[in-house]
Amino acid sequence: MSCPDAETLGRWLSGEVDADERAAIADHAAECATCHAVIDAWCPPTADAHDATMVATEQPTAAPGELAIGARVDRYRILRRIGGGGMGVVYAARDDELGRDVAIKLVRPGASTERFAREAQALARLSHPNVVAVHDVGAHDGRTFIAMALVDGVDLRRWLTSTRSIEEILGVIRGAGAGIAAAHKAGLVHRDLKPDNIFVARDGHALVGDFGLARELASDEVDAPPSGDALALSTPLTGTGTVLGTPAYMAPEQAKGEATEASDQFSLCVTAWEALFGARPFAGATLRQILERIKAGRITRVPEAKVPARIEKSLRRGLAADPDARFTSVDELMRALAPRRARWPWIAGAAAIALAITAIVASRGGGVKRTACDDAASLDGIWDPSIRSAIAKIDPKVPTADVLDAYATRWRRSRIGVCEAAARGEQTAETAERKVACLDERKAELARAARGAAQDPPLDAWRAAESLADVDACARASAAAPDRAKAKDIDDTLAALAELNMRRVATTKTSPAEAVALRQHAESIGFPPLVADALSMEALFAIDAGDYATAEAILRRAVRISEEARYDLGRARASGSLAIALADLGRMPEAKAALEEADGALVRAGGDADLDLELADIRAKVAAIGGDPAAAAAILERRLDALRQRDGADSIVVAYAEIDLAIQYTGANQELKAADRIRDAQAIIARHGGSGVDAPETLGFESSRALQTGDFARSIDLAARSVIAARAAHYDDNALAVLMLGLAQSYDVAGKWPQAASSYADTIAVLERVPEAARNLELYEQAQQGLGASLLQEGKAADAIAPLEHAIAIEEKMGARGDDDRGIARSMLGRALVELGKMREARELLEPTLRDLRTAQPLRPQRTGTAAFALAQALWEDGDAHDRARALTLAGDAERDLDQAITQAADRPVMVVALRILDQRRKDLVAWRERHKQQ
């Protein structure tokens, strides 16, 4: 049949045609893209009227002629009808063979099966957590059916009918983007992306479905361009010709019949814009009007929407008329929409000093009494029980009143605290004035939000309440007052420091020279708090590079400057970093004292939630370096709870905290808890658009876990995959070297010495590409040490000398990494010298090395036993009668140490190869001692 006119389509959509005519129109629409687009656009976006809905929302009993409950489609038993539209019907069904519920999409009688077969083929090629999975395809009474995963949730359009936070919405968009990116990597373009084809499970997980319009990217077949006049319908709209997809979400090139990956990106941005702003970006009654607005870049923005500027900017780029002006891929778009991950609270720190720079100093008198503090904290007429009650009654479902009430409570507490601290003389009048000026600004914001809550729509009022500036930031105002003429320069330097740190933690290319330049510029400005923060930034690069001695010197200067400027927040930050440097230098008592200083300074600063979380992370690191992973895990558990409360359980920051916690549980031999944490982290990463299973960090963690269980083959495989994934993600060389070192160590522990030596050499080569000032010295030392040890195990003692000497030189440059690590490289070098017959050199090296190993905490009998045996051999060959007597005594000590080491390693799967080496070393020792006793 030919295309039905608008009147016929209207009667068909309203159910006024008979069954035969309905089937004929459905059959025609399956072949005609124009009519298909009209039907898709006009069908109401509900579970019962959209043929792509595969959600487990029960619908009324099916209409006559459709499948009845209990009917069979192949091996599937129909449970209920859950959706339908012009092209087909969707049922919930039970797969009795596999014991699972599925969604069955069944084409309507008389309709073409080509579209449905194409959908099945497209989906079957995708295996991704953010794509609705296809289980089966077949025929039933001459009609094609597709069996797919049953999503326990609703489509995005229905999900948005409930109040959602911006982060919730972005989480769903990122999940959908991950599914689309996977489709593109499989060579498919979706072509019909819109809220009705994105499904949200009850746990918030997003999936993309309805790939019925997808085609291979490599296909020569293209959509024919539209022809004739536009078919004007009210809303939504469509155009004539053979345009695929729903026009309101369609990229301009797709409207011309040229759909690409960039077209899907455009449709996803239209969907995201609509979800965030509550309206589509390009208004118009016809396709022609929409295309004109797209070409002109005339985006309709809802002014009341509280969408972050960087998110809006990213979406505008994805909505560009020119495909080349959009992001290079959906993956890049998802990275732009991802939450900013920061491992150090530089944004909070920058805001704190910015307040000190820009706050208006008000003239107030000192010596305030307690009653005056109460009066100063009054919010009468701004926020009181009567105002709260009135706002709560507007819409009880929207918690605007609760949000404003909590904000007002924090403001009162902070205002009274500032007043009382000034009365007790705990802060200068200048500092108090700056904090009060800041709190006055917050009070004005609260007043505006309260007035708006009584006038604006409930949802807008709630968003405005949630976006109020942080009250606690006012407690961080600095006592130092900069020269007004320098304020702009200070502000710009703070922004540069924040931007540099963002690049540093994102493992993008950065250089310590950038931090040095910013510190020098801060010194030229002459504002002490800025200098202190710039020094802390510079020190972080030194810590990243393993140069702890340099970091210590820089941080002690930062602490001193902060003290002189009465900049407590800066002192807390610098002291926390100092604790890490001291712990890695093996000076644990000093590290703990630095942490106590950081905690005290944070209290004096009035608290800072972000910095408190960072200090918790530092406390855990110090505990782990001190050999107590169980204590570190307990600290990180509390930190994880706090992060969940601050950022939400599905935050990407929480995912990385889960990984950190898993590492400590592994060190504490709590493998089941570690497995739970890494599983949760993988799921969160996947929901945020990353591949939770294939992320380099999680692959590396799983490799480490496999190593601990003695599954060496799996450990090596996972470590190799982590390196490949990191290279594909363009990790910088220091970050890549971490994973390469893990692969080398997997080979090493498995006893594959040639492969280990090769991997260690590769790691060294990558690190040597990094400028020396930026190179991670700790990784570099470990790789050199590992190379020397592997060569020594291969019997290549001469080749082992150079890397071991290099490792010792690096260790001396950066300072020992802790008592536990002192002397390892020197001990191995002594063994190599003994094997080469260089007994005098070995003796001179091993004497102090053995003393260090015997005073290390905790004591490692494997290391002391090996070093004692090597020293005994050197003394015997290069000494007198006294030395030989001492050599026999050392051999006896070494035997006892090796016996203890063997006992400790006996029940550890990771030590199976090492156990064989220790056992052989003990046998060699006993044989040597017996031979030399007779001499």
Side-chain angles (χ1 to χ4, degrees):
M1 65 176 291
S2 59
C3 293
D5 56 27
E7 182 181 350
T8 303
L9 277 176
R11 289 191 298 107
W12 183 86
L13 290 163
S14 63
E16 297 175 4
V17 299
D18 60 30
D20 291 340
E21 189 176 4
R22 183 177 183 83
I25 293 173
D27 186 36
H28 167 79
E31 298 289 349
C32 175
T34 300
C35 294
H36 171 70
V38 174
I39 290 170
D40 269 1
W42 273 73
C43 284
T46 66
D48 196 44
H50 193 280
D51 91 329
T53 303
M54 291 159 285
V55 294
T57 304
E58 188 166 359
Q59 297 296 317
T61 305
E66 294 181 351
L67 296 178
I69 293 176
R72 287 278 175 180
V73 175
D74 199 79
R75 69 172 188 263
Y76 306 102
R77 175 167 47 87
I78 300 299
L79 300 177
R80 62 186 180 277
R81 183 184 191 277
I82 58 173
M87 308 310 299
V89 184
V90 183
Y91 299 91
R94 181 70 176 173
D95 182 347
D96 290 321
E97 289 186 15
L98 297 180
R100 65 183 176 190
D101 290 340
V102 299
I104 299 289
K105 178 181 282 191
L106 188 65
V107 65
R108 289 193 181 278
S112 170
T113 63
E114 180 182 354
R115 174 175 183 261
F116 292 88
R118 188 161 66 240
E119 177 173 0
Q121 292 164 2
L123 284 171
R125 290 168 52 186
L126 291 177
S127 177
H128 192 274
N130 296 105
V131 175
V132 177
V134 165
H135 302 313
D136 193 9
V137 62
H140 174 75
D141 290 342
R143 300 162 64 183
T144 300
F145 76 84
I146 304 169
M148 63 195 77
L150 183 67
V151 181
D152 183 16
V154 295
D155 64 39
L156 177 58
R157 195 179 299 281
R158 295 182 67 201
W159 184 77
L160 288 168
T161 58
S162 298
T163 301
R164 307 292 178 185
S165 69
I166 288 176
E167 186 50 46
E168 282 181 295
I169 294 171
L170 286 174
V172 169
I173 295 300
R174 287 191 294 265
I180 292 299
H184 291 171
K185 289 168 186 173
L188 297 168
V189 176
H190 189 287
R191 296 171 180 256
D192 197 20
L193 197 61
K194 54 189 176 183
D196 313 87
N197 292 339
I198 296 172
F199 306 105
V200 186
R202 294 190 191 279
D203 64 358
H205 186 68
L207 301 96
V208 180
D210 202 351
F211 276 71
L213 300 181
R215 293 183 187 170
E216 295 184 13
L217 288 172
S219 173
D220 293 331
E221 180 185 10
V222 296
D223 304 335
S227 60
D229 296 329
L231 177 62
L233 301 174
S234 54
T235 54
L237 50 75
T238 187
T240 60
T242 54
V243 182
L244 298 183
T246 304
Y249 300 88
M250 192 181 294
E253 70 273 11
Q254 188 176 356
K256 297 177 181 178
E258 301 169 359
T260 66
E261 292 182 21
S263 308
D264 281 351
Q265 181 186 147
F266 182 94
S267 299
L268 184 59
C269 286
V270 174
T271 299
W273 187 281
E274 182 179 9
L276 290 166
F277 287 93
R280 288 193 287 266
F282 303 105
T286 66
L287 177 58
R288 179 177 289 118
Q289 289 177 0
I290 288 180
L291 291 176
E292 288 173 354
R293 283 168 170 76
I294 292 172
K295 290 175 183 176
R298 290 167 55 193
I299 292 178
T300 303
R301 188 190 187 283
V302 180
E304 296 81 11
K306 305 292 184 181
V307 177
R310 69 180 184 89
I311 299 298
E312 181 177 340
K313 180 180 178 181
S314 299
L315 293 179
R316 284 180 179 272
R317 179 177 172 184
L319 292 169
D322 181 2
D324 292 336
R326 299 170 201 157
F327 291 94
T328 57
S329 66
V330 171
D331 276 333
E332 186 185 357
L333 169 63
M334 291 304 101
R335 286 193 290 272
L337 298 180
R340 288 175 173 169
R341 177 189 173 211
R343 287 162 45 191
W344 192 262
W346 274 96
I347 296 302
I353 302 181
L355 286 170
I357 297 165
T358 61
I360 300 172
V361 180
S363 176
R364 292 179 174 83
V368 191
K369 297 180 180 180
R370 178 69 178 84
T371 53
C373 290
D374 288 334
D375 292 340
S378 172
L379 289 173
D380 290 344
I382 294 175
W383 189 257
D384 53 38
S386 62
I387 297 173
R388 186 195 190 288
S389 177
I391 292 174
K393 290 177 181 178
I394 293 174
D395 188 341
K397 296 179 181 178
V398 180
T400 307
D402 292 338
V403 173
L404 291 175
D405 204 36
Y407 189 86
T409 300
R410 291 197 302 274
W411 186 91
R412 289 191 192 98
R413 183 175 60 243
S414 185
R415 183 65 183 85
I416 290 172
V418 170
C419 182
E420 292 181 342
R424 292 192 298 267
E426 294 176 357
Q427 59 188 10
T428 65
E430 184 181 9
T431 298
E433 288 168 352
R434 290 183 175 278
K435 292 179 179 181
V436 168
C438 174
L439 287 166
D440 284 349
E441 292 176 2
R442 299 295 187 267
K443 181 178 180 179
E445 290 183 30
L446 174 61
R448 286 192 293 271
R451 287 196 301 270
Q455 302 168 3
D456 298 338
L459 183 57
D460 292 344
W462 181 25
R463 288 173 176 167
E466 287 190 319
S467 67
L468 287 171
D470 184 15
V471 167
D472 295 335
C474 293
R476 308 165 201 152
S478 170
D483 185 336
R484 290 274 177 196
K486 297 179 179 179
K488 175 69 164 60
D489 201 0
I490 294 171
D491 216 10
D492 290 344
T493 307
L494 282 169
L497 282 169
E499 188 273 337
L500 175 61
N501 191 60
M502 283 295 182
R503 288 189 286 119
R504 182 186 73 84
V505 299
T507 69
T508 55
K509 299 292 183 182
T510 54
S511 166
E514 295 180 73
V516 172
L518 284 172
R519 185 257 301 161
Q520 290 172 339
H521 184 65
E523 289 171 335
S524 71
I525 295 173
F527 183 47
L530 179 64
V531 175
D533 274 353
L535 285 165
S536 290
M537 180 79 261
E538 184 180 356
L540 290 180
F541 277 92
I543 290 174
D544 289 344
D547 190 354
Y548 305 117
T550 297
E552 180 190 4
I554 295 171
L555 289 165
R556 289 200 182 281
R557 184 182 170 208
V559 169
R560 185 177 66 255
I561 291 173
S562 296
E563 287 176 346
E564 292 170 353
R566 299 182 182 178
Y567 179 36
D568 290 323
L569 197 69
R571 182 178 179 183
R573 181 178 296 119
S575 296
S577 293
L578 180 60
I580 284 289
L582 292 168
D584 278 308
L585 287 167
R587 291 151 58 187
M588 293 302 294
E590 292 178 72
K592 292 176 181 178
L595 269 175
E596 290 177 2
E597 288 182 15
D599 291 338
L602 187 59
V603 171
R604 289 192 299 276
D608 181 292
D610 292 336
L611 184 51
D612 189 51
L613 287 168
E614 290 300 326
L615 290 177
D617 187 44
I618 290 172
R619 280 190 286 273
K621 285 183 171 67
V622 170
I625 293 170
D628 194 351
I635 294 168
L636 291 178
E637 277 283 12
R638 294 191 293 272
R639 179 174 180 269
L640 180 60
D641 289 340
L643 284 170
R644 284 173 175 152
Q645 292 176 11
R646 188 190 74 176
D647 298 333
D650 204 38
S651 164
I652 197 71
V653 176
V654 169
Y656 283 102
E658 298 263 21
I659 293 172
D660 290 341
L661 180 55
I663 291 170
Q664 298 306 327
Y665 274 137
T666 299
N669 296 318
Q670 298 184 58
E671 293 293 336
L672 291 178
K673 288 186 176 180
D676 288 342
R677 297 279 68 81
I678 201 67
R679 192 180 302 113
D680 289 348
Q682 289 171 334
I684 294 172
I685 292 170
R687 288 196 291 274
H688 278 272
S691 176
V693 176
D694 294 333
E697 294 87 354
T698 50
L699 285 168
F701 175 81
E702 292 288 1
S703 170
S704 176
R705 251 185 0 115
L707 199 66
Q708 295 297 320
T709 61
D711 192 346
F712 300 140
R714 175 170 168 76
S715 176
I716 291 168
D717 174 64
L718 288 167
R721 285 167 53 195
S722 76
V723 172
I724 293 169
R727 289 186 187 278
H730 305 293
Y731 274 35
D732 72 17
D733 289 331
N734 275 326
L736 176 62
V738 173
L739 299 166
M740 294 180 70
L741 186 67
L743 175 59
Q745 290 170 337
S746 293
Y747 280 127
D748 197 342
V749 174
K752 298 181 179 293
W753 316 123
Q755 296 94 325
S758 176
S759 292
Y760 281 125
D762 289 344
T763 306
I764 291 168
V766 166
L767 286 167
E768 287 178 344
R769 295 198 305 238
V770 181
E772 188 171 355
R775 186 179 303 153
N776 188 315
L777 294 181
E778 184 171 344
L779 290 177
Y780 196 36
E781 188 270 341
Q782 289 181 28
Q784 295 283 4
Q785 179 180 291
L787 175 59
S790 298
L791 292 169
L792 195 58
Q793 289 298 139
E794 276 192 87
K796 299 178 179 178
D799 294 336
I801 297 292
L804 289 172
E805 288 179 338
H806 203 157
I808 293 168
I810 299 168
E811 183 180 282
E812 290 173 350
K813 179 180 179 180
M814 67 178 182
R817 296 193 312 277
D819 289 343
D820 185 33
D821 296 311
R822 284 190 303 177
I824 301 174
R826 286 180 287 159
S827 176
M828 287 189 289
L829 179 57
R831 281 180 51 207
L833 292 170
V834 167
E835 291 187 21
L836 293 171
K838 298 180 179 182
M839 300 303 181
R840 174 60 58 88
E841 294 177 52
R843 177 177 175 175
E844 292 174 352
L845 178 66
L846 287 169
E847 286 278 17
T849 298
L850 183 58
R851 284 197 300 271
D852 285 342
L853 290 173
R854 282 180 169 166
T855 58
Q857 293 297 326
L859 188 68
R860 305 289 188 183
Q862 174 183 345
R863 297 172 186 173
T864 55
T866 298
F869 180 27
L871 179 57
Q873 292 172 293
L875 286 171
W876 187 274
E877 299 296 334
D878 187 60
D880 53 22
H882 173 75
D883 291 325
R884 290 188 172 189
R886 182 169 169 242
L888 292 175
T889 301
L890 280 172
D893 294 341
E895 184 177 355
R896 286 190 297 273
D897 286 344
L898 291 176
D899 283 340
Q900 185 179 353
I902 289 169
T903 300
Q904 291 177 352
D907 297 326
R908 297 182 62 195
V910 69
M911 297 293 288
V912 62
V913 174
L915 193 59
R916 291 199 298 268
I917 295 171
L918 287 171
D919 188 58
Q920 184 59 52
R921 187 168 297 154
R922 182 186 179 282
K923 290 176 181 177
D924 293 342
L925 168 63
V926 170
W928 181 90
R929 189 155 59 94
E930 290 301 318
R931 285 198 310 272
H932 290 80
K933 270 190 201 173
Q934 310 303 321
Q935 298 180 21

